């Protein structure tokens, strides 16, 4: 094999990934979902600004925001995790394979040539990229609007110690990474659902419904034996990142849980797609 052929073979996966990311982030639907997520911290900050004066009573997080605008990003992430993030991740991951199937483009991508394993990996990588972009957007918009509407100063952590703004910014990035990690299992489930149908809406709906079901089951004390195995069980377990010193125990436990779902449903997705007739 000549050197040019070898170089093309090595760069082809990155070219395919670049093409997938460009396709994903060129869609109006993607930007509409990102815009909706960006509105979450804006609405929270504006609502708190208009309805509190910093001295009135109310939930603790309202006082935290009025005292320090940096808490807008944390509050927005907490509000987004149960519904808004799973909804958008379900839409993106549910469309990965089913969207191509509905447009009849899978056969052309495989003729490129693109192996089926590479195709599945690239599609999943695109969903992961969206998860990261979505969580970072919420954090960045939250920090920006918080700085605009409220005073900024040292942040009091859950452990009672105070850290400067830059130190909290680093923790905010860790929070975004934690939330991104939390969505990996759901993205893998959506990928698998997407291989089962040629109707993207069906895969999207199934993924979003499963996210809701998992959270409902996680609230039932009768099923406490099941809770540690639910992919949503540790979605809100990032409190250790807001302590001094930082503890990564919850981060590690969440990583093991999510990667387990990625391994199982990723294998199921590949197994289904590898035997799927896409040329008929």
């Amino acid at each position: 094999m000549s050197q040019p052929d070898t170089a093309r073979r090595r760069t082809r996966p990155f070219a395919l990934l670049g093409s997938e990311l460009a396709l994903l982030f060129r869609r109006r639907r993607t930007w509409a979902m990102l815009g909706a997520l960006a509105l979450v911290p804006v609405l929270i900050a504006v609502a708190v600004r208009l309805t509190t004066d910093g001295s009135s009573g109310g939930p603790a997080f309202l006082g935290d925001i009025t005292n320090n605008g940096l808490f807008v990003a944390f509050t927005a992430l907490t509000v987004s995790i149960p519904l808004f993030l799973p909804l958008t991740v379900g839409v993106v991951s549910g469309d990965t394979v089913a969207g191509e199937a509905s447009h009849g483009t899978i056969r052309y991508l495989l003729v490129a040539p693109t192996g089926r394993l590479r195709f599945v990996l690239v599609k999943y990588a695109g969903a992961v990229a969206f998860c990261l972009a979505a969580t970072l957007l919420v954090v960045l918009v939250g920090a920006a609007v918080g700085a605009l509407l409220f005073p900024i100063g040292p942040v009091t952590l859950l452990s009672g110690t105070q850290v400067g703004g830059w130190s909290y910014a680093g923790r905010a990035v860790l929070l975004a990474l934690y939330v991104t990690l939390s969505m990996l299992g759901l993205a893998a489930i959506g990928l698998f659902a997407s291989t089962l149908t040629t109707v993207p809406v069906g895969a999207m709906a199934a993924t979003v419904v499963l996210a809701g079901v998992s959270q409902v089951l996680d609230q039932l004390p009768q099923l406490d034996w099941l809770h540690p195995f639910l992919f949503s069980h540790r979605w809100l377990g990032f409190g250790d990142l807001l302590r001094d010193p930082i503890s990564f125990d919850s981060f590690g436990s969440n990583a093991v849980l999510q990667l387990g779902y990625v391994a199982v449903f990723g294998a199921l997705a590949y197994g289904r797609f590898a035997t799927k007739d896409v040329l008929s």
Side-chain angles (χ1 to χ4, degrees), residues 25 34 36 49 96 100 104 108 170 174 203 206 230 234:
F25 288 102
L34 290 175
R49 181 67 177 178
T96 48
E100 299 286 359
Y108 302 109
L174 289 177
L230 297 173
R234 297 187 179 275

Side-chain angles (χ1 to χ4, degrees), residues 182-198:
S182 298
M183 295 293 116
L184 296 187
L186 180 62
I189 293 173
L191 176 69
F192 172 60
S194 191
T195 64
L196 300 177
T197 180
T198 59

Side-chain angles (χ1 to χ4, degrees), residues 62-94:
L62 295 182
D64 291 336
I65 291 176
T66 56
N67 294 328
N68 197 326
L70 293 176
F71 276 104
V72 174
F74 170 73
T75 305
L77 271 183
T78 304
V79 171
S80 299
I81 288 174
L83 176 61
F84 301 111
L85 277 173
L87 177 61
T88 56
V89 171
V91 170
V92 171
S93 60

Side-chain angles (χ1 to χ4, degrees), residues 26-145:
R26 280 202 307 262
R27 289 174 176 166
R28 294 181 180 178
R29 179 179 63 200
T30 300
W31 285 103
M33 291 188 296
L34 290 175
L37 288 173
L39 281 178
V40 174
V42 173
L43 293 176
I44 290 174
V46 171
V48 172
R49 181 67 177 178
L50 294 178
T51 58
T52 63
D53 57 8
S55 59
S56 60
F61 76 88
L62 295 182
D64 291 336
I65 291 176
T66 56
N67 294 328
N68 197 326
L70 293 176
F71 276 104
V72 174
F74 170 73
T75 305
L77 271 183
T78 304
V79 171
S80 299
I81 288 174
L83 176 61
F84 301 111
L85 277 173
L87 177 61
T88 56
V89 171
V91 170
V92 171
S93 60
D95 186 60
T96 48
V97 179
E100 299 286 359
S102 66
H103 290 93
T105 54
I106 292 181
R107 68 189 71 181
Y108 302 109
L109 290 173
L110 294 179
V111 170
T114 299
R116 297 198 181 205
L117 176 60
R118 184 182 300 169
F119 179 87
V120 171
L121 290 176
V122 166
K123 287 295 181 181
Y124 184 69
V128 172
F130 175 84
C131 295
L132 180 60
T135 53
L136 286 177
L137 179 66
V138 171
V139 169
L140 292 175
V141 173
V145 72

Side-chain angles (χ1 to χ4, degrees), residues 189-264:
I189 293 173
L191 176 69
F192 172 60
S194 191
T195 64
L196 300 177
T197 180
T198 59
V199 182
V201 175
M204 297 173 190
T207 306
V208 174
V209 168
L210 284 175
V213 170
S214 179
Q215 292 181 82
V216 170
L217 295 178
D218 201 27
Q219 300 302 315
L220 299 179
Q222 296 85 352
L223 298 177
D224 56 351
W225 58 271
L226 179 63
H227 294 169
F229 303 100
L230 297 173
F231 61 86
S232 63
H233 181 61
R234 297 187 179 275
W235 279 4
L236 295 172
F238 43 68
D240 289 345
L241 300 177
L242 297 175
R243 302 183 187 277
D244 189 26
I246 295 177
S247 174
F248 288 95
D249 292 343
S250 60
F251 205 112
S253 299
N254 192 29
V256 171
L257 176 64
Q258 301 303 327
L259 292 179
Y261 273 89
V262 171
V264 171

Side-chain angles (χ1 to χ4, degrees), residues 145-158:
V145 72
L148 182 64
L149 298 180
F150 303 101
I152 298 295
V155 177
T156 302
L157 301 176
L158 297 180

